[in-house]
Amino acid sequence: MPRRSEEHLEMRRQQIVRAALRAFARDGFHATSMADVIRESGLSAGAVYRYFPSKNDLVVACASTVFDAVRGALAATLAAPEPVPPDRALRHILDTALQRATENADGIDFSRVAVTAWGEALRDDALRAVVRDLYAPLRADLTAVVARWRDAGHLAPDADVEAAGQVLFGMLPGFLLQRLLIGDVEVDRYTAGLRVLTASPDTVGNRRATG
Amino acid sequence: MPRRSEEHLEMRRQQIVRAALRAFARDGFHATSMADVIRESGLSAGAVYRYFPSKNDLVVACASTVFDAVRGALAATLAAPEPVPPDRALRHILDTALQRATENADGIDFSRVAVTAWGEALRDDALRAVVRDLYAPLRADLTAVVARWRDAGHLAPDADVEAAGQVLFGMLPGFLLQRLLIGDVEVDRYTAGLRVLTASPDTVGNRRATG
């Protein structure tokens, strides 16, 4: 029997991931079963289970399609000859995530899938571990952006760059939620908002040093 | 028939709200029915429906118990004679929200209820409207903190304070999610992280003004 080409396997895999993303974005994680994904994909149960033995394997694959793109954009940022200011790194991430969210062929809004995943992860230890393993490297990348910015002399040598990485990372779900639930935020203005907080010569940080 | 005292009515109302919060925190919004809340409260269906005709009325009441406390803390901040730096306002909010989350008599973690609500709000227009109506005033309060900070001369006169309010507000869900899903953040360090980003004399904002 001829071995199937790598290309064919990857296309088939992507077909299943797209079907899962459609179902997750529409119905949420909890309400979506493997049977729903199989139906949505138009493939046999055996074919789907061969690629993804469990729903959590599908979750990892779905999330990775977004995270790989975001971390790819950040990798370019981190490799640039000049250190990039934290707000520009934030903008790269949001632009990349939203571009993936709005321009993919199926019109799936990945950010809806993320919000759904958070709620389910609270009641599902395996899913929470999946989410944690996906988020930790992205947050580490953001911490690296801040560390590079510090090493270039823009921050104090003893600046707590991990705490700053937590804050930058924390601004991402805050953006997605306001976009989905309130509907009045956009990337340029949000990242400008970070600059407002950092734009004063008499900075917040300096004022607080004594407080 | 003697009219029931206001105090009695309020105690009964709080009894139902606490029952609903326990059920929502444990099972999520979607999986919790009015019947579940009625059972949890130990009251009759008629009694519960008299106070809360629908599940969304319960959601509003539950969220209000947290939001009222948070906005109360911010009101004191806004009324202080000296303008408060934005990172201190953020710390007040998180401290108040977490205190409410961990020290209430039933041990309910309110932040779990919030995360659950976000996911459900994506698929429930009425709940989304409820969430929006709760979040908008809190975000406006944070914008007012930044405006006061600007008016005191700490920010440029034309600073986009609404954008800064979006960012400060956006840091709240980012904190709750990292706390619940990754588990390694705490309030002092997170707000210190904001100060790191704002602590440089050569600020991010100044660098970006030309970028």
Side-chain angles (χ1 to χ4, degrees), chain A residues 24 27-32 55-56 59 113-129 131, chain B residues 26-31 112 115-117 119-120 123 177 181:
Chain A
F24 289 151
D27 303 322
F29 276 114
H30 188 67
T32 301
K55 209 166 98 174
N56 274 341
V59 173
V113 182
V115 175
T116 290
W118 301 333
E120 293 307 323
L122 293 184
R123 284 182 298 284
D124 181 332
D125 289 343
L127 182 57
R128 188 162 64 247
V131 168
Chain B
R26 187 179 58 226
D27 303 322
F29 276 114
H30 188 66
R112 289 176 64 92
V115 175
T116 291
E120 293 307 323
R123 284 182 297 284
L177 279 173
L181 299 182

Side-chain angles (χ1 to χ4, degrees), chain A residues 87-88 122 139 154 160 166-167 170-171 174 178 184 189-190 195 197-198 200 202-204 208, chain B residues 26 87-88 112 139 154 160 166-167 170-171 174 178 184 189-190 195 197-198 200 202-204 208:
Chain A
D87 70 290
R88 199 185 299 175
L122 293 184
R139 199 173 67 173
H154 300 296
D160 186 344
Q166 290 177 349
V167 169
M171 290 175 64
Q178 288 179 80
D184 60 356
R189 201 167 170 209
Y190 194 72
R195 288 201 297 281
L197 293 174
T198 59
S200 165
D202 172 13
T203 65
V204 178
R208 288 286 301 134
Chain B
R26 187 179 58 226
D87 70 290
R88 200 185 300 174
R112 289 176 64 92
R139 199 173 67 175
H154 299 297
D160 186 345
Q166 291 177 348
V167 169
M171 289 174 65
Q178 287 180 79
D184 60 357
R189 202 166 171 211
Y190 193 72
R195 287 202 296 281
L197 294 175
T198 59
S200 165
D202 171 13
T203 65
V204 178
R208 287 285 302 133

Side-chain angles (χ1 to χ4, degrees), chain A residues 67-210:
Chain A
F67 277 78
D68 288 352
V70 168
R71 294 195 66 208
L74 259 189
T77 296
L78 281 167
E82 284 293 311
V84 169
D87 70 290
R88 199 185 299 175
L90 183 74
R91 199 173 61 186
H92 281 188
I93 291 181
L94 288 173
D95 278 341
T96 308
L98 292 183
Q99 190 175 9
R100 296 286 299 189
T102 55
E103 293 185 5
N104 65 86
D106 296 296
I108 302 158
D109 188 339
F110 293 118
S111 62
R112 289 176 64 92
V113 182
V115 175
T116 290
W118 301 333
E120 293 307 323
L122 293 184
R123 284 182 298 284
D124 181 332
D125 289 343
L127 182 57
R128 188 162 64 247
V130 165
V131 168
R132 197 165 40 217
D133 289 348
L134 283 163
Y135 285 4
L138 178 58
R139 199 173 67 173
D141 286 346
L142 282 169
T143 301
V145 167
V146 182
R148 219 180 152 214
W149 192 241
R150 173 201 61 193
D151 294 345
H154 300 296
L155 301 174
D158 62 348
D160 186 344
V161 294
E162 286 193 14
Q166 290 177 349
V167 169
L168 277 177
F169 181 77
M171 290 175 64
L172 301 172
F175 178 86
L176 296 182
L177 279 173
Q178 288 179 80
R179 176 171 162 270
L180 289 170
L181 299 182
I182 306 183
D184 60 356
V185 294
E186 46 91 13
V187 175
D188 282 346
R189 201 167 170 209
Y190 194 72
T191 50
L194 176 56
R195 288 201 297 281
V196 166
L197 293 174
T198 59
S200 165
D202 172 13
T203 65
V204 178
N206 291 342
R207 298 284 297 190
R208 288 286 301 134
T210 56

